[in-house]
Amino acid sequence: MQTGIAHGDNQLLVFFTPESHAFILGGTVIPVPYDQLRSLLGKRATDLESYHDVKGMFVRNGDRFQVVYAMPDGEAAIAGTLWDAAGKNVTRQQIRYIPGAVPTVRIDVPEGAKAAAGNLSQQIYAGTIGREGAPEVIMFIDPRCSFSIRAMQVLQPAVDAGKLRLRVVPLSLLDYEDAGASTRYAKAMTSLPADAGMVQAWTSGGLSGVLDQPAPQAQARLDANMAAAKAVALTGTPTFFWKHKDGSLGRLDGVPADPDRFIGEIRQ
């Protein structure tokens, strides 16, 4: 296996890939033979379908999850995530039928969800950033999601220029990838006041001070955000919602490809 390191703002990923580059396996090496580890975990582990002959298992420890894969020689394991050559998250597909592993979501937005989305402002706890009076968008994120981070980077210039106002809603959807870090970071965000400081702490790596001592109300705020996400049939993060001038709901799943076009759609 070839080894590499990818890094971005406040994140570092060690990854492994075969010479064919058929997949990328990112995570932390566990220096224990995979079969021995599987035996030790017993009923806490659920075997996954092999991908390119790579064995894997879903491990449950109380309310925390972790996916572990075997190195090709079986002499070590990797706790992390598997992507295919096109960047598709294979891990998410492998565990989608395990109860509780991935939040149940739908790609479409049913009529009932549209009605719920109209009241999102009253349901969510969000950090608001941007000029008052600018077109406002609700942005659901997972603080550990690289696509959420990328979307914020893409839209930050528009926010700074006064063209866009964001209400950033923390969620925890990726605990199965990072052994519960998603929840810790989301609770750190919901421990902070609902203003620009929350967003800035997330984007600048300033959450460390509250990671291990979240506010007493942090869990309740996160629960409310998760309930709102379920009500609008969230597909993943980032996801954006806004109201058109005619009162209809606008929605975008994923990173905006063209910020100017995105803002133009919001103004309609």
Side-chain angles (χ1 to χ4, degrees), residues 102-159:
V102 178
T104 302
V105 296
R106 293 175 53 175
I107 294 177
D108 62 317
V109 183
E111 291 301 318
K114 289 183 179 180
N119 298 316
L120 278 180
S121 293
Q122 287 74 47
Q123 299 177 38
I124 58 176
Y125 189 80
T128 303
I129 187 169
R131 177 181 62 83
E132 285 193 38
E136 184 172 290
V137 178
I138 294 173
M139 177 184 180
F140 283 97
I141 62 103
D142 186 304
R144 299 284 290 176
C145 168
S146 60
F147 295 104
S148 295
I149 294 169
R150 177 57 182 159
M152 192 67 225
Q153 293 170 338
V154 167
L155 296 176
Q156 187 70 57
V159 173

Short mmCIF file of all heavy atoms in Angstrom, two decimals, residues 102-159:
data_model
loop_
_atom_site.label_atom_id
_atom_site.label_comp_id
_atom_site.label_asym_id
_atom_site.label_seq_id
_atom_site.Cartn_x
_atom_site.Cartn_y
_atom_site.Cartn_z
N VAL A 102 -26.29 5.13 10.29
CA VAL A 102 -26.42 6.35 9.49
C VAL A 102 -27.83 6.88 9.67
O VAL A 102 -28.79 6.11 9.60
CB VAL A 102 -26.16 6.08 8.00
CG1 VAL A 102 -26.34 7.34 7.17
CG2 VAL A 102 -24.75 5.54 7.81
N PRO A 103 -28.00 8.19 9.92
CA PRO A 103 -29.35 8.72 10.05
C PRO A 103 -30.20 8.39 8.83
O PRO A 103 -29.72 8.44 7.70
CB PRO A 103 -29.13 10.24 10.17
CG PRO A 103 -27.73 10.37 10.68
CD PRO A 103 -26.97 9.22 10.07
N THR A 104 -31.47 8.01 9.05
CA THR A 104 -32.37 7.71 7.95
C THR A 104 -32.76 9.01 7.26
O THR A 104 -33.32 9.90 7.88
CB THR A 104 -33.63 7.01 8.47
OG1 THR A 104 -33.23 5.82 9.14
CG2 THR A 104 -34.57 6.66 7.33
N VAL A 105 -32.45 9.12 5.97
CA VAL A 105 -32.73 10.33 5.23
C VAL A 105 -33.36 9.96 3.89
O VAL A 105 -33.34 8.82 3.47
CB VAL A 105 -31.45 11.16 4.98
CG1 VAL A 105 -30.86 11.64 6.28
CG2 VAL A 105 -30.41 10.33 4.21
N ARG A 106 -33.91 10.99 3.24
CA ARG A 106 -34.49 10.81 1.92
C ARG A 106 -33.93 11.85 0.98
O ARG A 106 -33.61 12.97 1.39
CB ARG A 106 -36.02 10.93 1.98
CG ARG A 106 -36.69 9.82 2.75
CD ARG A 106 -38.18 10.06 2.87
NE ARG A 106 -38.79 10.31 1.56
CZ ARG A 106 -40.10 10.45 1.40
NH1 ARG A 106 -40.91 10.37 2.42
NH2 ARG A 106 -40.60 10.68 0.19
N ILE A 107 -33.80 11.49 -0.29
CA ILE A 107 -33.26 12.42 -1.26
C ILE A 107 -34.30 13.46 -1.65
O ILE A 107 -33.99 14.63 -1.87
CB ILE A 107 -32.77 11.67 -2.51
CG1 ILE A 107 -31.57 10.79 -2.13
CG2 ILE A 107 -32.39 12.62 -3.63
CD1 ILE A 107 -31.04 9.95 -3.26
N ASP A 108 -35.58 13.08 -1.70
CA ASP A 108 -36.61 14.05 -2.05
C ASP A 108 -37.07 14.79 -0.81
O ASP A 108 -36.77 14.41 0.31
CB ASP A 108 -37.81 13.34 -2.69
CG ASP A 108 -38.46 12.36 -1.72
OD1 ASP A 108 -37.70 11.64 -1.04
OD2 ASP A 108 -39.69 12.33 -1.66
N VAL A 109 -37.79 15.89 -0.99
CA VAL A 109 -38.36 16.65 0.12
C VAL A 109 -39.87 16.51 0.05
O VAL A 109 -40.52 17.13 -0.78
CB VAL A 109 -37.98 18.14 0.04
CG1 VAL A 109 -38.53 18.88 1.24
CG2 VAL A 109 -36.46 18.31 -0.04
N PRO A 110 -40.47 15.66 0.88
CA PRO A 110 -41.91 15.48 0.83
C PRO A 110 -42.66 16.73 1.25
O PRO A 110 -42.08 17.62 1.87
CB PRO A 110 -42.15 14.33 1.83
CG PRO A 110 -40.97 14.35 2.73
CD PRO A 110 -39.81 14.84 1.90
N GLU A 111 -43.96 16.78 0.94
CA GLU A 111 -44.73 17.99 1.21
C GLU A 111 -44.71 18.36 2.68
O GLU A 111 -44.62 19.52 3.04
CB GLU A 111 -46.17 17.80 0.72
CG GLU A 111 -46.29 17.72 -0.79
CD GLU A 111 -45.75 18.98 -1.46
OE1 GLU A 111 -46.01 20.09 -0.97
OE2 GLU A 111 -45.03 18.84 -2.47
N GLY A 112 -44.82 17.37 3.55
CA GLY A 112 -44.79 17.66 4.97
C GLY A 112 -43.47 18.29 5.40
O GLY A 112 -43.43 19.17 6.26
N ALA A 113 -42.39 17.85 4.78
CA ALA A 113 -41.08 18.41 5.12
C ALA A 113 -40.98 19.85 4.65
O ALA A 113 -40.33 20.67 5.28
CB ALA A 113 -39.97 17.57 4.50
N LYS A 114 -41.61 20.17 3.53
CA LYS A 114 -41.58 21.54 3.05
C LYS A 114 -42.23 22.48 4.06
O LYS A 114 -41.74 23.57 4.33
CB LYS A 114 -42.31 21.65 1.70
CG LYS A 114 -41.57 21.00 0.54
CD LYS A 114 -42.31 21.22 -0.76
CE LYS A 114 -41.55 20.57 -1.92
NZ LYS A 114 -42.26 20.76 -3.20
N ALA A 115 -43.32 22.03 4.62
CA ALA A 115 -43.99 22.85 5.62
C ALA A 115 -43.11 23.05 6.84
O ALA A 115 -43.00 24.14 7.39
CB ALA A 115 -45.31 22.20 6.03
N ALA A 116 -42.43 21.96 7.26
CA ALA A 116 -41.54 22.07 8.41
C ALA A 116 -40.38 23.01 8.13
O ALA A 116 -39.94 23.76 8.99
CB ALA A 116 -41.01 20.68 8.80
N ALA A 117 -39.87 22.96 6.90
CA ALA A 117 -38.74 23.80 6.55
C ALA A 117 -39.08 25.28 6.66
O ALA A 117 -38.21 26.11 6.92
CB ALA A 117 -38.27 23.48 5.13
N GLY A 118 -40.34 25.62 6.46
CA GLY A 118 -40.73 27.02 6.54
C GLY A 118 -40.58 27.58 7.94
O GLY A 118 -40.51 28.81 8.11
N ASN A 119 -40.52 26.72 8.96
CA ASN A 119 -40.38 27.18 10.34
C ASN A 119 -39.00 26.86 10.92
O ASN A 119 -38.83 26.83 12.13
CB ASN A 119 -41.45 26.52 11.21
CG ASN A 119 -42.86 26.90 10.78
OD1 ASN A 119 -43.11 28.07 10.50
ND2 ASN A 119 -43.76 25.94 10.73
N LEU A 120 -38.03 26.64 10.06
CA LEU A 120 -36.70 26.26 10.53
C LEU A 120 -36.10 27.30 11.48
O LEU A 120 -35.42 26.95 12.44
CB LEU A 120 -35.75 26.06 9.35
CG LEU A 120 -35.82 24.72 8.63
CD1 LEU A 120 -34.84 24.68 7.49
CD2 LEU A 120 -35.58 23.58 9.59
N SER A 121 -36.35 28.56 11.21
CA SER A 121 -35.75 29.61 12.03
C SER A 121 -36.12 29.48 13.49
O SER A 121 -35.35 29.88 14.37
CB SER A 121 -36.16 31.00 11.50
OG SER A 121 -35.61 31.23 10.23
N GLN A 122 -37.31 28.94 13.77
CA GLN A 122 -37.75 28.78 15.16
C GLN A 122 -37.26 27.47 15.77
O GLN A 122 -37.28 27.31 16.99
CB GLN A 122 -39.28 28.83 15.23
CG GLN A 122 -39.89 30.21 15.02
CD GLN A 122 -39.83 30.67 13.58
OE1 GLN A 122 -40.17 29.90 12.68
NE2 GLN A 122 -39.39 31.90 13.34
N GLN A 123 -36.82 26.53 14.94
CA GLN A 123 -36.46 25.20 15.44
C GLN A 123 -34.97 25.03 15.72
O GLN A 123 -34.57 24.20 16.54
CB GLN A 123 -36.88 24.14 14.42
CG GLN A 123 -38.37 24.09 14.14
CD GLN A 123 -38.70 23.08 13.06
OE1 GLN A 123 -38.10 22.01 13.01
NE2 GLN A 123 -39.63 23.40 12.19
N ILE A 124 -34.14 25.77 15.02
CA ILE A 124 -32.71 25.50 15.02
C ILE A 124 -31.93 26.40 15.97
O ILE A 124 -32.40 27.47 16.37
CB ILE A 124 -32.13 25.67 13.60
CG1 ILE A 124 -32.39 27.08 13.09
CG2 ILE A 124 -32.68 24.60 12.67
CD1 ILE A 124 -31.77 27.39 11.75
N TYR A 125 -30.74 25.93 16.34
CA TYR A 125 -29.78 26.77 17.06
C TYR A 125 -28.59 26.94 16.12
O TYR A 125 -27.90 25.97 15.79
CB TYR A 125 -29.33 26.11 18.36
CG TYR A 125 -28.50 27.04 19.21
CD1 TYR A 125 -29.11 28.02 20.00
CD2 TYR A 125 -27.11 26.98 19.21
CE1 TYR A 125 -28.35 28.89 20.77
CE2 TYR A 125 -26.35 27.85 19.98
CZ TYR A 125 -26.98 28.81 20.76
OH TYR A 125 -26.24 29.68 21.51
N ALA A 126 -28.38 28.15 15.65
CA ALA A 126 -27.40 28.39 14.59
C ALA A 126 -26.54 29.60 14.89
O ALA A 126 -26.97 30.55 15.56
CB ALA A 126 -28.13 28.61 13.25
N GLY A 127 -25.33 29.57 14.36
CA GLY A 127 -24.45 30.73 14.39
C GLY A 127 -24.69 31.58 13.15
O GLY A 127 -24.66 31.05 12.03
N THR A 128 -24.97 32.86 13.33
CA THR A 128 -25.30 33.74 12.21
C THR A 128 -24.11 34.61 11.86
O THR A 128 -23.50 35.23 12.73
CB THR A 128 -26.51 34.63 12.55
OG1 THR A 128 -27.61 33.80 12.91
CG2 THR A 128 -26.91 35.48 11.35
N ILE A 129 -23.81 34.65 10.57
CA ILE A 129 -22.68 35.44 10.10
C ILE A 129 -23.06 36.14 8.80
O ILE A 129 -23.72 35.55 7.94
CB ILE A 129 -21.42 34.55 9.90
CG1 ILE A 129 -20.19 35.40 9.58
CG2 ILE A 129 -21.65 33.46 8.87
CD1 ILE A 129 -18.89 34.62 9.62
N GLY A 130 -22.70 37.43 8.69
CA GLY A 130 -23.02 38.18 7.48
C GLY A 130 -23.83 39.42 7.79
O GLY A 130 -24.40 39.58 8.88
N ARG A 131 -23.90 40.33 6.85
CA ARG A 131 -24.58 41.62 7.02
C ARG A 131 -26.09 41.44 7.16
O ARG A 131 -26.70 40.69 6.41
CB ARG A 131 -24.26 42.53 5.82
CG ARG A 131 -24.97 43.88 5.85
CD ARG A 131 -24.62 44.70 4.63
NE ARG A 131 -25.07 44.05 3.40
CZ ARG A 131 -26.32 44.14 2.93
NH1 ARG A 131 -27.24 44.82 3.60
NH2 ARG A 131 -26.63 43.53 1.79
N GLU A 132 -26.66 42.16 8.14
CA GLU A 132 -28.11 42.16 8.25
C GLU A 132 -28.72 42.77 7.00
O GLU A 132 -28.23 43.78 6.49
CB GLU A 132 -28.55 42.95 9.49
CG GLU A 132 -28.32 42.23 10.79
CD GLU A 132 -29.05 42.90 11.95
OE1 GLU A 132 -30.18 43.37 11.73
OE2 GLU A 132 -28.47 42.97 13.04
N GLY A 133 -29.78 42.17 6.51
CA GLY A 133 -30.42 42.66 5.30
C GLY A 133 -29.96 41.95 4.05
O GLY A 133 -30.62 42.03 3.01
N ALA A 134 -28.83 41.24 4.13
CA ALA A 134 -28.36 40.46 2.98
C ALA A 134 -29.23 39.21 2.84
O ALA A 134 -29.84 38.77 3.82
CB ALA A 134 -26.89 40.07 3.17
N PRO A 135 -29.33 38.64 1.64
CA PRO A 135 -30.10 37.40 1.47
C PRO A 135 -29.65 36.34 2.47
O PRO A 135 -28.46 36.07 2.57
CB PRO A 135 -29.79 37.00 0.03
CG PRO A 135 -29.44 38.28 -0.66
CD PRO A 135 -28.73 39.11 0.37
N GLU A 136 -30.60 35.76 3.19
CA GLU A 136 -30.26 34.83 4.27
C GLU A 136 -30.51 33.39 3.86
O GLU A 136 -31.53 33.07 3.25
CB GLU A 136 -31.09 35.15 5.51
CG GLU A 136 -30.71 34.29 6.71
CD GLU A 136 -31.39 34.73 7.99
OE1 GLU A 136 -31.03 35.81 8.49
OE2 GLU A 136 -32.27 34.00 8.47
N VAL A 137 -29.57 32.53 4.22
CA VAL A 137 -29.63 31.12 3.91
C VAL A 137 -29.33 30.31 5.17
O VAL A 137 -28.42 30.67 5.93
CB VAL A 137 -28.61 30.74 2.81
CG1 VAL A 137 -28.64 29.25 2.53
CG2 VAL A 137 -28.89 31.52 1.53
N ILE A 138 -30.08 29.25 5.39
CA ILE A 138 -29.79 28.31 6.47
C ILE A 138 -28.86 27.24 5.91
O ILE A 138 -29.14 26.63 4.88
CB ILE A 138 -31.09 27.68 7.00
CG1 ILE A 138 -31.94 28.75 7.68
CG2 ILE A 138 -30.78 26.54 7.97
CD1 ILE A 138 -33.31 28.26 8.10
N MET A 139 -27.75 27.02 6.59
CA MET A 139 -26.71 26.11 6.12
C MET A 139 -26.48 25.02 7.16
O MET A 139 -25.90 25.26 8.22
CB MET A 139 -25.42 26.88 5.87
CG MET A 139 -24.22 26.05 5.44
SD MET A 139 -22.74 27.10 5.29
CE MET A 139 -21.50 25.89 4.79
N PHE A 140 -26.97 23.82 6.89
CA PHE A 140 -26.72 22.68 7.78
C PHE A 140 -25.31 22.14 7.50
O PHE A 140 -24.96 21.86 6.35
CB PHE A 140 -27.74 21.57 7.53
CG PHE A 140 -29.09 21.83 8.13
CD1 PHE A 140 -30.11 22.35 7.35
CD2 PHE A 140 -29.34 21.54 9.46
CE1 PHE A 140 -31.37 22.58 7.90
CE2 PHE A 140 -30.59 21.76 10.02
CZ PHE A 140 -31.61 22.29 9.23
N ILE A 141 -24.54 21.96 8.56
CA ILE A 141 -23.17 21.46 8.41
C ILE A 141 -22.88 20.40 9.47
O ILE A 141 -23.54 20.33 10.51
CB ILE A 141 -22.12 22.59 8.52
CG1 ILE A 141 -22.15 23.27 9.91
CG2 ILE A 141 -22.35 23.63 7.45
CD1 ILE A 141 -21.05 22.87 10.82
N ASP A 142 -21.91 19.57 9.19
CA ASP A 142 -21.26 18.76 10.22
C ASP A 142 -19.87 19.36 10.36
O ASP A 142 -19.14 19.47 9.36
CB ASP A 142 -21.17 17.30 9.80
CG ASP A 142 -20.62 16.41 10.92
OD1 ASP A 142 -19.49 16.71 11.40
OD2 ASP A 142 -21.27 15.43 11.30
N PRO A 143 -19.47 19.79 11.56
CA PRO A 143 -18.19 20.47 11.71
C PRO A 143 -16.98 19.65 11.29
O PRO A 143 -15.92 20.20 11.02
CB PRO A 143 -18.13 20.83 13.20
CG PRO A 143 -19.13 19.93 13.85
CD PRO A 143 -20.20 19.70 12.83
N ARG A 144 -17.15 18.32 11.19
CA ARG A 144 -16.06 17.45 10.78
C ARG A 144 -16.15 17.05 9.30
O ARG A 144 -15.32 16.29 8.82
CB ARG A 144 -16.08 16.19 11.64
CG ARG A 144 -15.90 16.45 13.13
CD ARG A 144 -14.47 16.76 13.48
NE ARG A 144 -13.65 15.56 13.35
CZ ARG A 144 -12.33 15.53 13.51
NH1 ARG A 144 -11.68 16.65 13.79
NH2 ARG A 144 -11.67 14.40 13.39
N CYS A 145 -17.14 17.58 8.61
CA CYS A 145 -17.37 17.23 7.21
C CYS A 145 -16.51 18.11 6.31
O CYS A 145 -16.63 19.35 6.32
CB CYS A 145 -18.84 17.40 6.87
SG CYS A 145 -19.23 17.34 5.12
N SER A 146 -15.65 17.50 5.50
CA SER A 146 -14.76 18.27 4.64
C SER A 146 -15.53 19.08 3.60
O SER A 146 -15.11 20.16 3.20
CB SER A 146 -13.76 17.34 3.94
OG SER A 146 -14.44 16.37 3.15
N PHE A 147 -16.70 18.56 3.16
CA PHE A 147 -17.51 19.29 2.19
C PHE A 147 -18.15 20.52 2.84
O PHE A 147 -18.32 21.56 2.20
CB PHE A 147 -18.57 18.38 1.58
CG PHE A 147 -17.99 17.27 0.76
CD1 PHE A 147 -17.94 15.97 1.25
CD2 PHE A 147 -17.46 17.51 -0.50
CE1 PHE A 147 -17.40 14.95 0.50
CE2 PHE A 147 -16.91 16.49 -1.27
CZ PHE A 147 -16.88 15.21 -0.76
N SER A 148 -18.53 20.42 4.11
CA SER A 148 -19.06 21.57 4.83
C SER A 148 -17.98 22.65 4.95
O SER A 148 -18.25 23.85 4.76
CB SER A 148 -19.54 21.15 6.22
OG SER A 148 -20.64 20.27 6.15
N ILE A 149 -16.78 22.23 5.27
CA ILE A 149 -15.67 23.17 5.40
C ILE A 149 -15.40 23.84 4.06
O ILE A 149 -15.21 25.07 3.98
CB ILE A 149 -14.42 22.44 5.91
CG1 ILE A 149 -14.64 21.95 7.34
CG2 ILE A 149 -13.19 23.36 5.85
CD1 ILE A 149 -13.58 21.00 7.85
N ARG A 150 -15.42 23.05 2.99
CA ARG A 150 -15.18 23.61 1.66
C ARG A 150 -16.27 24.60 1.27
O ARG A 150 -15.98 25.67 0.71
CB ARG A 150 -15.12 22.47 0.64
CG ARG A 150 -14.96 22.93 -0.80
CD ARG A 150 -13.73 23.78 -1.00
NE ARG A 150 -13.60 24.26 -2.36
CZ ARG A 150 -12.86 25.32 -2.71
NH1 ARG A 150 -12.19 26.01 -1.79
NH2 ARG A 150 -12.80 25.68 -3.97
N ALA A 151 -17.52 24.29 1.57
CA ALA A 151 -18.63 25.19 1.24
C ALA A 151 -18.47 26.52 1.96
O ALA A 151 -18.71 27.59 1.38
CB ALA A 151 -19.96 24.54 1.61
N MET A 152 -18.05 26.49 3.21
CA MET A 152 -17.84 27.73 3.96
C MET A 152 -16.72 28.55 3.33
O MET A 152 -16.81 29.78 3.22
CB MET A 152 -17.51 27.40 5.43
CG MET A 152 -17.56 28.60 6.35
SD MET A 152 -19.22 29.26 6.54
CE MET A 152 -18.89 31.02 6.37
N GLN A 153 -15.67 27.88 2.90
CA GLN A 153 -14.57 28.59 2.24
C GLN A 153 -15.03 29.23 0.93
O GLN A 153 -14.64 30.36 0.62
CB GLN A 153 -13.42 27.62 1.96
CG GLN A 153 -12.72 27.10 3.21
CD GLN A 153 -11.75 25.98 2.92
OE1 GLN A 153 -11.85 25.29 1.90
NE2 GLN A 153 -10.80 25.76 3.82
N VAL A 154 -15.88 28.53 0.20
CA VAL A 154 -16.38 29.04 -1.08
C VAL A 154 -17.26 30.26 -0.88
O VAL A 154 -17.20 31.23 -1.66
CB VAL A 154 -17.16 27.92 -1.82
CG1 VAL A 154 -17.97 28.51 -2.98
CG2 VAL A 154 -16.20 26.86 -2.34
N LEU A 155 -18.07 30.25 0.18
CA LEU A 155 -19.05 31.32 0.39
C LEU A 155 -18.53 32.47 1.26
O LEU A 155 -19.15 33.54 1.30
CB LEU A 155 -20.31 30.75 1.02
CG LEU A 155 -21.08 29.74 0.16
CD1 LEU A 155 -22.25 29.16 0.93
CD2 LEU A 155 -21.56 30.38 -1.14
N GLN A 156 -17.42 32.27 1.95
CA GLN A 156 -16.91 33.30 2.85
C GLN A 156 -16.69 34.65 2.17
O GLN A 156 -17.04 35.70 2.73
CB GLN A 156 -15.62 32.83 3.51
CG GLN A 156 -15.10 33.75 4.61
CD GLN A 156 -15.97 33.73 5.85
OE1 GLN A 156 -16.18 32.68 6.44
NE2 GLN A 156 -16.49 34.89 6.24
N PRO A 157 -16.11 34.70 0.95
CA PRO A 157 -15.93 36.01 0.30
C PRO A 157 -17.26 36.74 0.08
O PRO A 157 -17.32 37.97 0.24
CB PRO A 157 -15.28 35.64 -1.04
CG PRO A 157 -14.55 34.37 -0.77
CD PRO A 157 -15.45 33.63 0.17
N ALA A 158 -18.31 36.03 -0.27
CA ALA A 158 -19.62 36.66 -0.46
C ALA A 158 -20.17 37.18 0.87
O ALA A 158 -20.79 38.25 0.92
CB ALA A 158 -20.59 35.67 -1.09
N VAL A 159 -19.94 36.43 1.94
CA VAL A 159 -20.36 36.87 3.27
C VAL A 159 -19.60 38.14 3.65
O VAL A 159 -20.19 39.13 4.10
CB VAL A 159 -20.12 35.76 4.31
CG1 VAL A 159 -20.38 36.29 5.72
CG2 VAL A 159 -21.00 34.56 4.03
#
